[in-house]
Amino acid sequence: MITSIATTDATVTDAEMTEPVHHMLAARDLLPAEHFLDSGYASAELIVGMKKNFGVTLVTPVLMNSSPQARAGAGFDRTAFTIDWDKRQATCPRGDTSTWWSPTTLRDTKAIVIKFDKETCRPCPVRDQCTRSKTGGRTLSLQPREVQEVLDHARLQQGDEQWRAKYGTRAGIEGTIHQAVAVTGMRRARYLGLQKTHLEHVFSAVALNLIRLDAWWNGHPLDRTRVSHLARLDLSLAA
């Protein structure tokens, strides 16, 4: 069922609408325990904020580690290092500790830069699996502790088959989007202006809810598969 409707201009991103929508649901006492989102919404900051401010767990894929080692699937990526947040120190896979821990801002985002001494890294026998630098030591970039720990946990979870099966629940929204487009034609607004377009969206949502209630009350399950126009044409010709 569609429980909340927001109409914005095209410049507003999906992620920007997550918190306002949660406010709308909270005002109606309709907040879910879990909210399934696609990867366009995901960020560790958003996951932390929604849990802290609304008590809602966001179930969403997050971007994986983008370091050269992680992309190559070889060598020591960030997860190979042990982080001691209290001591503000990292330990590498061979047991050496970092010598530099500096909170900073990278691309307008709070971060922590950790460095290992070049004299420690230079003679290391597995150096080529750890850093591409020819002269310097290994450098790590982390987000603030709360955000980084949530991000690490989310990355670990989404590699699990049980999590993937659970996330499959979100596939139902794709059917809702298809039904909205096919039944109400809402990809193209019939009116000018946000207020009129929002009213159109409200009427469309009411219509879809009534269609779904009718199907539920009369025992008619919604189609679970999407059939293209070409496939329907083939079926009609075969009949």
Side-chain angles (χ1 to χ4, degrees):
M1 299 294 289
I2 300 172
T3 58
S4 183
I5 304 161
T7 303
T8 71
D9 61 65
T11 61
V12 178
T13 65
D14 292 341
E16 289 178 281
M17 289 307 300
T18 306
E19 185 167 349
V21 169
H22 280 171
H23 277 296
M24 294 170 65
L25 293 173
R28 301 174 184 175
D29 197 25
L30 292 174
L31 277 174
E34 295 180 321
H35 191 169
F36 289 73
L37 304 175
D38 66 28
S39 58
Y41 294 81
S43 72
E45 293 87 347
L46 189 64
I47 295 172
V48 170
M50 294 304 102
K51 186 66 174 180
K52 182 181 297 184
N53 298 329
F54 298 97
V56 176
T57 299
L58 298 188
V59 182
T60 175
V62 297
L63 294 177
M64 299 303 290
N65 191 335
S66 60
S67 69
Q69 295 84 2
R71 291 198 303 270
F76 303 122
D77 65 11
R78 215 284 298 153
T79 60
F81 292 76
T82 302
I83 308 300
D84 190 324
W85 294 95
D86 296 323
K87 291 183 178 180
R88 295 161 62 94
Q89 197 172 61
T91 303
C92 80
R94 287 182 57 83
D96 293 311
T97 56
S98 60
T99 56
W100 177 276
W101 178 292
S102 178
T104 185
T105 300
L106 299 175
R107 295 184 292 276
D108 298 324
T109 301
K110 290 183 179 180
I112 298 168
V113 175
I114 302 171
K115 295 181 181 180
F116 287 79
D117 189 88
K118 62 182 180 181
E119 299 303 328
T120 300
C121 294
R122 188 176 295 162
C124 180
V126 292
R127 176 186 176 86
D128 60 342
Q129 299 179 50
C130 191
T131 179
R132 295 184 296 180
S133 173
K134 301 300 181 183
T135 58
R138 176 64 185 266
T139 299
L140 302 174
S141 294
L142 305 179
Q143 298 192 51
R145 180 174 185 172
E146 185 179 28
V147 176
Q148 187 65 55
E149 289 180 340
V150 166
L151 183 59
D152 289 344
H153 179 67
R155 285 171 173 169
L156 183 64
Q157 273 195 320
Q158 69 190 44
D160 181 70
E161 287 297 329
Q162 186 175 357
W163 185 92
R164 293 177 184 177
K166 178 180 180 180
Y167 185 68
T169 301
R170 193 197 166 273
I173 191 60
E174 301 300 333
T176 300
I177 293 172
H178 173 66
Q179 187 182 35
V181 172
V183 174
T184 71
M186 63 187 305
R187 285 209 187 278
R188 177 172 296 179
R190 295 175 174 83
Y191 310 102
L192 296 177
L194 284 178
Q195 289 185 337
K196 291 181 179 179
T197 303
H198 177 69
L199 183 61
E200 178 188 348
H201 289 167
V202 171
F203 285 150
S204 297
V206 170
L208 292 175
N209 284 344
L210 289 174
I211 289 171
R212 292 192 161 206
L213 284 171
D214 177 72
W216 176 265
W217 287 330
N218 290 285
H220 300 306
L222 297 172
D223 291 338
R224 295 187 177 273
T225 57
R226 179 176 177 177
V227 181
S228 68
H229 294 295
L230 182 59
R232 287 201 298 269
L233 179 61
D234 288 340
L235 289 173
S236 64
L237 291 175

